[in-house]
């Protein structure tokens, strides 16, 4: 089975398991999704979703964020971890969006990554979910699971994973596949104790049964 064949099989199996391939971050506007994704770094989506309602109520527009101080924003996101850095990035990105982009969110990875604190993971998610473009969100779940599936060479480098996956995933499926991988990673193919005996991908996964066995020997 080639990588493209394995990828195609995984896509179809995960479609059956998770028909609704949606981002678990809650946002009503593109700017809110951008900010929520920035907050999700080294933080759970569930925690971000607890924090953002009050944050977005206090700062409902781009201008409101751009005119805020990092200290003001930080007070609302303290529980997300690294909140001071994230607050500075959020204010700075909103100032840049207002002053350099005319208040319009860029629709390319290259444009989005010009914004303070925005890396390729965040940029890809926004491009896929907001603009409907082919996207590969190489987060920790994606990196771990695609490596186990043999769709990538096992590297932990997000950019390398993204490039390798773009070669094997059909562009029209890549964004939804990455969302489903997150759900699958939380439920089945966890980092420390993958449930290989319950895995719908077991028949096509070259790592099936090997991760748990290797950890047991340590």
């Amino acid at each position: 089975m080639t990588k493209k064949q394995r990828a195609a099989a995984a896509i179809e199996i995960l479609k059956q398991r998770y028909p609704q391939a949606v981002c678990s971050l809650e946002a009503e506007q593109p700017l809110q999704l951008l900010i929520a994704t920035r907050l999700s770094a080294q933080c759970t989506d569930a925690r971000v979703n607890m924090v953002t309602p009050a944050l977005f109520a206090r700062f409902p527009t781009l201008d409101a964020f751009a005119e805020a101080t990092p200290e003001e924003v930080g007070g609302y996101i303290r529980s997300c971890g690294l909140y001071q850095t994230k607050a500075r990035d959020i204010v700075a990105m909103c100032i840049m969006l207002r002053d350099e982009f005319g208040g319009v969110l860029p629709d390319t990875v290259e444009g989005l990554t010009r914004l303070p604190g925005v890396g390729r993971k965040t940029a890809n998610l926004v491009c896929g979910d907001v603009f409907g473009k082919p996207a590969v969100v190489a987060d920790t779940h994606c990196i771990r699971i695609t490596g186990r599936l043999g769709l990538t060479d096992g590297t932990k480098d997000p950019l390398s994973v993204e490039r390798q996956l773009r070669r094997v995933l059909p562009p029209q499926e890549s964004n939804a596949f990455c969302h489903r991988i997150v759900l699958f990673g939380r439920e089945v193919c966890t980092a420390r104790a993958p449930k290989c005996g319950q895995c719908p991908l077991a028949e096509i996964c070259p790592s099936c049964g090997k991760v748990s066995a290797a950890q047991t020997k340590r």
Side-chain angles (χ1 to χ4, degrees):
M1 180 178 283
T2 67
K3 288 184 178 181
K4 284 189 175 182
Q5 290 171 331
R6 188 177 294 115
I11 286 168
E12 294 307 314
I13 292 169
L14 292 181
K15 275 184 182 179
Q16 297 298 316
R17 181 101 177 191
Y18 308 104
Q20 301 299 319
V22 295
C23 179
S24 56
L25 291 169
E26 297 171 0
E28 297 179 357
Q29 307 166 16
L31 177 64
Q32 291 182 354
L33 180 61
L34 175 67
I35 291 171
T37 308
R38 176 66 187 95
L39 291 176
S40 70
Q42 297 183 317
C43 181
T44 66
D45 289 357
R47 169 58 59 183
V48 173
N49 289 337
M50 292 173 63
V51 165
T52 50
L55 177 69
F56 295 149
R58 172 62 182 83
F59 306 102
T61 65
L62 173 66
D63 286 341
F65 273 111
E67 293 167 4
T69 66
E71 290 74 23
E72 287 179 289
V73 173
Y76 287 86
I77 63 172
R78 187 179 295 266
S79 64
C80 286
L82 302 175
Y83 74 96
Q84 293 173 318
T85 299
K86 293 177 181 179
R88 286 196 300 269
D89 286 343
I90 289 169
V91 172
M93 75 168 65
C94 289
I95 290 173
M96 182 179 282
L97 282 170
R98 181 193 64 187
D99 296 348
E100 296 188 31
F101 291 91
V104 178
L105 209 62
D107 64 355
T108 65
V109 169
E110 292 72 24
L112 287 162
T113 52
R114 286 185 56 201
L115 300 172
V118 176
R120 293 190 67 88
K121 184 190 84 168
T122 297
N124 268 284
L125 191 144
V126 171
C127 280
D129 280 28
V130 174
F131 299 108
K133 294 188 173 185
V136 174
V137 181
D139 68 353
T140 55
H141 294 291
C142 179
I143 292 170
R144 178 180 74 253
I145 295 168
T146 57
R148 289 175 177 174
L149 282 171
L151 301 183
T152 66
D153 61 11
T155 179
K156 304 300 182 186
D157 177 64
L159 179 56
S160 180
V161 169
E162 178 189 334
R163 287 172 173 167
Q164 291 181 57
L165 289 178
R166 285 187 183 276
R167 291 196 289 267
V168 299
L169 295 174
Q172 70 275 16
E173 299 284 359
S174 61
N175 192 44
F177 176 76
C178 290
H179 283 319
R180 292 185 174 106
I181 280 287
V182 171
L183 300 174
F184 178 66
R186 290 172 179 164
E187 182 189 9
V188 181
C189 196
T190 56
R192 296 190 176 184
K195 303 176 180 67
C196 294
Q198 306 170 29
C199 181
L201 301 180
E203 291 188 1
I204 65 169
C205 180
S207 301
C208 182
K210 297 178 182 178
V211 177
S212 298
Q215 290 177 342
T216 301
K217 293 178 182 178
R218 292 178 184 174

